[in-house]
Every structure is written in structure tokens, then in C-alpha cells.
């Protein structure tokens, strides 16, 4: 076989986010095919063969690509609605609209969500999609296809709901699947799309939506299905005080105890939010290595509260960052969540000792990789790992007077992305996508948002 072509990146600051938090004030990276071949201080070695491209990255910071651990792509076309609601009221207001989505809408929304993240440094994305109206088309295929075309590494969390209003849940009756249909469709999605290989671009997780939209049987059998198929599990947990009350009233226990009773704690599980957790809950997550997707902007938008991230990290719980759906985080960006995670958590009990800039960067990179079960492959810049990395420009007006590039990235304005690589392939250049037409994506998303509004009677 022909030797892999190399890309050499020189003269940049590097934050590896490896186990020692190794950093270089001025260093180099060598990419060979879809892997990081080498990196270190100073210029790249002389005499490298098969060099297809050299990049002078002076004035830049290289980091691992950002890893998004929680999102709902379809919400891209329902942004700016129910802006002053808490979670339960927000869901009641929006479920009737969401229940009318179809394949073209979902494709347009997925492309918009992915484009916004990718141009802001996300190299691994995930989507928790749980709304499957009857006759709406191949929604999972549309989402996966959008990620493939964008060139982003991707996990589809195939969601489901079977507890509607008539059963004491929140979704309208016409917005849910039956138990058997949900399990069958989830298994088919895994068998069709999941790639278990180490350099996979597409993976699938089993992801019933939440305790208040899913039956106990669906949770139990969903966990059994995931473990039989060898894939991960994802759901929402402990997001609000209303959810805590709901679980106690319906199940006689809090969310964490309920999840444990249904097989939903374990190192193959990660949950979104986990805001309202007591010491016993945190200990259970630590004991079982259950992961957490921290979504600070969405939690603030819906007035859910401040997750105990410093306590989770101190206990050894894997924690990553999530955008969450863009109907509760209208920016749709993950790189701004680095800053928001640090700032929001400093409003909590630990104050200025809650998180520092490097911990925030770790949440958005290695922490996310760990939550998705891919820390051996992505999340840090190390020889042999997949070539998913970002070059952030740090010499512009927004950042040039901040000496520490990591502090500049986390605490400063959103940094421009000069280049983003996924699997060794560049997908962003100077803040613009190389794999898709952003203007066309914007037009399509607007048209589908307007069509949904007409169908739902909101225009």
C-alpha cells in the first residue's frame, strides 16, 4: 500500500489535553492519513516524505476538535419560541409543533445544526432524536446523511417516546410510538448504521427520551437491547425540580434511583443535564461510571438550575459538554459553552474555584470523548489518535493581548476557526465550511421552518 500523505502544521501553540495537560508555546503536528503521527515543540522534523501540504500556523492555538455530547438537531427550525418558559411548560408549548416534522424538515434542520457547530470547531457531534411522527419518512437516515455529507464524526442517539398525555406523560398522544415499534425501529437503526470500528464516522446509541415521556418497560427493554447489540445508552436525567417531583409521585423514588432500578446506570450510559443531584446520586454515578452531558446555556435558558459539575468531576464522573437543542440554546454553538460552563459554575457553591480554563477545555474535548466511549480515539492530541483537531486564530483584535492562548480561547470572544480537520480531512477554512454551502443551508432551513409553522398553525 502507498504510504499515507502527510500534512505538516508548524509554529502554533498546542494544548494537547492529554493526561498531563501537555502544552507547547510553539510546536508542530504531523498528520498522516487519518491519524496524528507526531507532535511536539519547535518545527516539524526535516526530511519527511509524502508531505502533501504545509501550514504555517503562527498566531494560532491547536486543540483537539470539540465533542458535542447532547443535541436535538430538529429544533433548528423552531428556534426563538416559548422564550420565557420552564422545561415542562416549554415542552407542552412545543410538542404539538414538533409532532408535525417530516423528513425534509429534519434534513434541513440537521444540516443547519451541523453547519453551525462545525464552523465553530466541533469535529464530533451527536443528535438525540426522539420525535418520529407516523408517515414522516426516514428521519434517522436523513440525519445520518447530513452528518456524512458535512464530514463530521457523528453519533445518532435513536430516541423514542411511548408515554403520552393519556398515560400521564407530556407529549400529545399523536407524538409517540408504541413500545414495540420503538424497540424494533431502534434495533433496525443500529443494525443499519452503527459502525463499531475504531475510526468510525457514524455510531448509534439507544436513547429513550426521558422519565416523563417513556414507560418503565421501554427503559428496561431499551437497556437490554443496547447491551445485546453492544452500543451505548443515552437519555435525559435530573434536569429540573419538576422532574424530581414527577419521579417521586409516579415511581416513589428520585430519578437516579429510578434509572438504577431499570438498568440505566453504567459505564456505557450517559445522561443529559443532571442538574438536581444530591450526594448519593453523584456517588451512584461515580460508582457506575455513568457519564454526564453538561448543557449550561440550555439549563440557564429554561431556568433549570446549575449542575454540580465540580462535585461530579471530583467524584470521578465522566463529564462532557452539550449544546442541547436550539429551541433552548438558539446559538447552536459548542465553543461558546466552554466559556458558559466556566462562568455558570462559578455562580454555584464553589465560586471562583469551580472550574478553570483548562478544565473547561477538557470538558469540551477529552471529557466529551470519554462520555461517548471514544477517549482512546479522539479528545486529545496524541500520536496514534484520529486526526480531529482545530486551529483557532489568536492574533486578531479579539485575543491578541491575552498571553495565555487557552485562557483566550475559553474566556475571550468566540475565536475564529482557521482550519478544522476531521479524520485528517479539512472541513472548515477561515470560518467557512468546505463541505457544504452555508447560504443554501440557511435558505433551506428558513423555508422548512416557515413550512412547519404553517402546518402547525403558528404563522
Amino acid at each position: 500500500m502507498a504510504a499515507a500523505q502527510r500534512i505538516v502544521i508548524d509554529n502554533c501553540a498546542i494544548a494537547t489535553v492529554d493526561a498531563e495537560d501537555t502544552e507547547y508555546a510553539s510546536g508542530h503536528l504531523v498528520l498522516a492519513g487519518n491519524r496524528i503521527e507526531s507532535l511536539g515543540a519547535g518545527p516539524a522534523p526535516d526530511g519527511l516524505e509524502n508531505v502533501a501540504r504545509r501550514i504555517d500556523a503562527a498566531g494560532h492555538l491547536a486543540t483537539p476538535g470539540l465533542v458535542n455530547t447532547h443535541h436535538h438537531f430538529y429544533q433548528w427550525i423552531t428556534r426563538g419560541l416559548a422564550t420565557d418558559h420552564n422545561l415542562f411548560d416549554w415542552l407542552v408549548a412545543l410538542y404539538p409543533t414538533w409532532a408535525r416534522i417530516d423528513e425534509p424538515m429534519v434534513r434541513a434542520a440537521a444540516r443547519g445544526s451541523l453547519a453551525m457547530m462545525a464552523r465553530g470547531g466541533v469535529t464530533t457531534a451527536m443528535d438525540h432524536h426522539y420525535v418520529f411522527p407516523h408517515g414522516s419518512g426516514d428521519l434517522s437516515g436523513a440525519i445520518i446523511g447530513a452528518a456524512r455529507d458535512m464530514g463530521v464524526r457523528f453519533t445518532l442517539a435513536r430516541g423514542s417516546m411511548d408515554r403520552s398525555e393519556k398515560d400521564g406523560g407530556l407529549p400529545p398522544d399523536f407524538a409517540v410510538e408504541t413500545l414495540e415499534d420503538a424497540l424494533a425501529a431502534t434495533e433496525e437503526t443500529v443494525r443499519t448504521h452503527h459502525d463499531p470500528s475504531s475510526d468510525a464516522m457514524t455510531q448509534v446509541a439507544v436513547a429513550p427520551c426521558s422519565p416523563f415521556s417513556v414507560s418503565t418497560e421501554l427503559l428496561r427493554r431499551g437497556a437490554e437491547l443496547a447491551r445485546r447489540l453492544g452500543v451505548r445508552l443515552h437519555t435525559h436525567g435530573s434536569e429540573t425540580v419538576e422532574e424530581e417531583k414527577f419521579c417521586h409521585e409516579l415511581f416513589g423514588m428520585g430519578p437516579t434511583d429510578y434509572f438504577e432500578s431499570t438498568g440505566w446506570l453504567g459505564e456505557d450510559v450517559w445522561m443529559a443535564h443532571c442538574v438536581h443531584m444530591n450526594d448519593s446520586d453523584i456517588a451512584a454515578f461515580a460508582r457506575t461510571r455513568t457519564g454526564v452531558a453538561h448543557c449550561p446555556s440550555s439549563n440557564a435558558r429554561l431556568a433549570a438550575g446549575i449542575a454540580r459539575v465540580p462535585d461530579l468531576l471530583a467524584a470521578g464522573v465522566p463529564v462532557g459538554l452539550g449544546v442541547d437543542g436550539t429551541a433552548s440554546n438558539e446559538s447552536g454553538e459548542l465553543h461558546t459553552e466552554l466559556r458558559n460552563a466556566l462562568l455558570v459554575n462559578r455562580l454555584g457553591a464553589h465560586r471562583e474555584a469551580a472550574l478553570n480554563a483548562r478544565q473547561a477545555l477538557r470538558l469540551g474535548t477529552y471529557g466529551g470523548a470519554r462520555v461517548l466511549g471514544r477517549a482512546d480515539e479522539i479528545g486529545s492530541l496524541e500520536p496514534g489518535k484520529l486526526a480531529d483537531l482545530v486551529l483557532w486564530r489568536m492574533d486578531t483584535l479579539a485575543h491578541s493581548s491575552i498571553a495565555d492562548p487557552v485562557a483566550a480561547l475559553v474566556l475571550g470572544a468566540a475565536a475564529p476557526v482557521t482550519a478544522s480537520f476531521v479524520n485528517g480531512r479539512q472541513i472548515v477554512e477561515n470560518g467557512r465550511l468546505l463541505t457544504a454551502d452555508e447560504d443554501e443551508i440557511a435558505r433551506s432551513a428558513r423555508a422548512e421552518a416557515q413550512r412547519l409553522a404553517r402546518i402547525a398553525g403558528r404563522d
Side-chain angles (χ1 to χ4, degrees):
M1 295 179 62
Q5 289 193 325
R6 292 185 170 94
I7 297 174
V8 176
I9 303 170
D10 265 322
N11 302 320
C12 57
I14 302 174
T16 67
V17 199
D18 64 9
E20 290 76 36
D21 268 333
T22 305
E23 296 182 12
Y24 302 102
S26 181
H28 69 273
L29 297 111
V30 179
L31 315 183
N34 72 340
R35 300 276 172 176
I36 299 170
E37 183 176 66
S38 64
L39 74 162
D46 293 329
L48 292 173
E49 298 181 350
N50 299 314
V51 176
R53 185 180 176 196
R54 291 184 179 272
I55 299 173
D56 183 353
H60 289 78
L61 170 67
T63 73
L66 300 184
V67 179
N68 181 31
T69 60
H70 187 65
H71 210 316
H72 307 295
F73 290 176
Y74 73 91
Q75 292 180 16
W76 187 261
I77 56 174
T78 61
R79 295 191 292 168
L81 304 175
T83 57
D84 303 308
H85 292 48
N86 66 27
L87 174 67
F88 275 24
D89 292 342
W90 176 83
L91 289 170
V92 170
L94 291 175
Y95 269 141
T97 296
W98 294 339
R100 291 169 171 83
I101 59 174
D102 60 21
E103 186 175 335
M105 293 175 190
V106 168
R107 180 180 294 105
R111 294 176 73 215
S113 296
L114 286 158
M116 199 68 193
M117 285 187 292
R119 67 201 292 271
V122 169
T123 56
T124 297
M126 70 79 67
D127 183 32
H128 185 192
H129 188 87
Y130 53 83
V131 183
F132 291 89
H134 295 294
S136 55
D138 182 7
L139 305 188
S140 294
I143 298 163
I144 289 170
R148 181 184 60 244
D149 294 344
M150 200 76 63
V152 173
R153 204 176 298 282
F154 182 60
T155 294
L156 175 68
R158 203 292 180 181
S160 52
M161 299 187 295
D162 71 335
R163 185 192 296 277
S164 65
E165 289 175 327
K166 67 178 175 57
D167 303 311
L170 291 182
D173 295 340
F174 59 85
V176 303
E177 300 174 281
T178 67
L179 168 67
E180 297 300 336
D181 285 349
L183 291 168
T186 300
E187 179 165 0
E188 178 62 23
T189 302
V190 173
R191 294 193 180 280
T192 302
H193 296 291
H194 179 70
D195 180 356
S197 63
S198 64
D199 59 353
M201 291 295 292
T202 303
Q203 295 196 330
V204 179
V206 175
C209 183
S210 65
F212 47 84
S213 60
V214 168
S215 68
T216 300
E217 186 69 6
L218 181 51
L219 277 177
R220 284 202 183 102
R221 292 179 61 184
E224 293 167 359
L225 174 65
R227 286 166 180 140
R228 174 164 58 84
L229 298 177
V231 298
R232 298 182 74 75
L233 300 90
H234 180 59
T235 191
H236 298 88
S238 300
E239 185 172 1
T240 65
V241 292
E242 291 85 4
E243 179 189 334
E244 177 90 13
K245 180 180 178 182
F246 181 95
C247 288
H248 276 287
E249 289 178 349
L250 210 62
F251 312 122
M253 63 187 89
T256 299
D257 290 338
Y258 175 61
F259 281 126
E260 186 155 34
S261 75
T262 57
W264 271 80
L265 295 186
E267 61 184 2
D268 56 353
V269 179
W270 85 103
M271 296 190 196
H273 305 298
C274 299
V275 174
H276 297 277
M277 298 182 72
N278 58 32
D279 291 347
S280 176
D281 297 329
I282 292 174
F285 270 55
R287 169 174 48 81
T288 58
R289 293 294 185 262
T290 304
V292 171
H294 176 45
C295 307
S297 291
S298 177
N299 292 343
R301 160 81 150 80
L302 296 173
I306 302 173
R308 295 174 59 185
V309 172
D311 297 326
L312 291 164
L313 293 175
V317 176
V319 182
L321 291 182
V323 172
D324 205 3
T326 48
S328 66
N329 178 4
E330 275 75 3
S331 78
E333 298 176 309
L334 190 68
H335 60 310
T336 55
E337 297 303 285
L338 301 175
R339 184 174 192 262
N340 292 341
L342 185 152
L343 296 181
V344 167
N345 280 281
R346 287 189 178 184
L347 295 175
H350 296 272
R351 301 182 65 187
E352 69 275 6
L355 289 177
N356 61 39
R358 282 160 178 81
Q359 287 174 309
L361 178 59
R362 180 171 289 273
L363 288 177
T365 53
Y366 185 84
R370 191 178 173 205
V371 163
L372 295 183
R374 306 199 67 175
D376 290 340
E377 306 151 10
I378 59 173
S380 60
L381 301 179
E382 301 180 68
K385 282 201 164 184
L386 294 169
D388 293 8
L389 65 143
V390 180
L391 293 177
W392 309 90
R393 189 171 178 187
M394 291 293 157
D395 60 359
T396 68
L397 174 64
H399 303 93
S400 64
S401 60
I402 305 176
D404 179 348
V406 175
L409 176 67
V410 174
L411 291 171
V417 174
T418 293
S420 182
F421 294 86
V422 181
N423 219 39
R425 174 194 182 196
Q426 188 173 352
I427 66 167
V428 175
E429 184 169 22
N430 295 324
R432 297 286 293 185
L433 292 170
L434 296 176
T435 53
D437 182 339
E438 294 179 26
D439 296 329
E440 187 276 326
I441 291 173
R443 288 192 298 271
S444 175
R446 181 175 181 82
E448 292 299 333
Q450 291 172 338
R451 184 166 70 89
L452 178 57
R454 288 194 299 272
I455 292 172
R458 288 193 291 102
D459 60 355

